[in-house]
Amino acid sequence: MSVTPMIYYKHNGFIHSIHKLYQKDGDYRRAAMVALAIMAKSQESDVFNDALIIDKLNTVTIQGISGKLYNVYDLPKSCRLVVAIQDQEKILLFVGNHDTFQTWKADTLKAKFAFSELKKNSKQLSKIAQEETSNEETLSEEAVEFNFDDFIKQNPDSVEAKIKQAIDTLISQSSENKVSRKNLRNAIKQYRQDIKEYYSLLEHQNPTSYDNDIPDEMTVNAEVDKVITTIDTKHHAIVTHKVEDAFSLIKAHQLENGLVATKTLKDEVDFIEIKVKYAIALESLVENIKAGISLEEKTKLINDVINENLIDKEV
């Protein structure tokens, strides 16, 4: 018994419409990713049946379009996916937000394309499934197990390959981010220890307590502001006075005392340098934390597309 498979095509303007939507970011980008996932699955219609490829999406009725040549599907952020259908053939035509869809609809209704015209300007995506026979044993022997790694090697420009590359990159970046944050935390602890030692070295300073734990982002930013304010209001005056003292002693030919004064001046400047490095490390830690959150969001987005969570939860 033979089964007529659903054959998928990609219209020449389809990728352009996805790219335009993807550039809008946010939920628009999520809608574009759903369209990309559908296109990726349609390339292997012998692996994914039609229900897995597109039928989980809700259809919407659009006056002048629906019920004739086109099916219109709902995507996140009120975006639309348009598919032309005739018998067992489907053409992925267009995806866009409300405004671009209205423009596309007006142009399409004006042009009055026939399915054959759309097909001429499209590229076949899916493979034609082999005819089924009543001899299941023969089919089982000839069937080749789908190997994702082999598919990626043979199709380096496919959507699946790009998604895998994106995941590999995220894993690498996430690992680097964790190592960087660990190094920054260690550096911050060391700077705090150095600051404590300088408080002991410079008798005029009042000791300040530094916790060992790294606080949250708001507290870190407050600490950075505190360090900068201290340098501006306190250390600036101290360094200015020590410079004046050192030069006064040198001009008075009290060279040994002048040498001691320059030594204390150097200690004060070194102390400021440690504090500046401490503030830089704190700011870098905040940026690394933000980068880590961004990586987690990107990873979730890709996982949503792969696991069809976007389709199940948002459409």
Side-chain angles (χ1 to χ4, degrees), residues 40-58:
K41 289 180 178 180
S42 69
Q43 292 174 348
E44 296 296 326
S45 60
D46 55 344
V47 177
F48 299 95
N49 60 45
D50 200 48
L52 292 175
I53 294 174
I54 201 169
D55 287 354
K56 284 190 176 182
L57 294 176
N58 292 328

Side-chain angles (χ1 to χ4, degrees), residues 81-133:
L81 168 67
V82 185
V83 178
I85 182 169
Q86 179 175 284
D87 299 327
Q88 292 302 113
E89 293 181 315
K90 287 184 177 181
I91 303 174
L92 303 178
L93 283 178
F94 169 84
V95 63
N97 64 4
H98 178 270
D99 293 337
T100 56
F101 171 72
Q102 292 300 325
T103 302
W104 178 90
K105 173 187 170 184
D107 293 341
T108 301
L109 290 176
K110 183 178 179 181
K112 297 181 179 179
F113 293 115
F115 188 87
S116 57
E117 293 178 89
L118 296 172
K119 188 175 175 180
K120 286 180 182 178
N121 293 310
S122 303
K123 178 181 178 182
Q124 185 172 330
L125 292 171
S126 58
K127 299 176 182 178
I128 300 176
Q130 298 296 322
E131 289 187 350
E132 294 182 1
T133 67

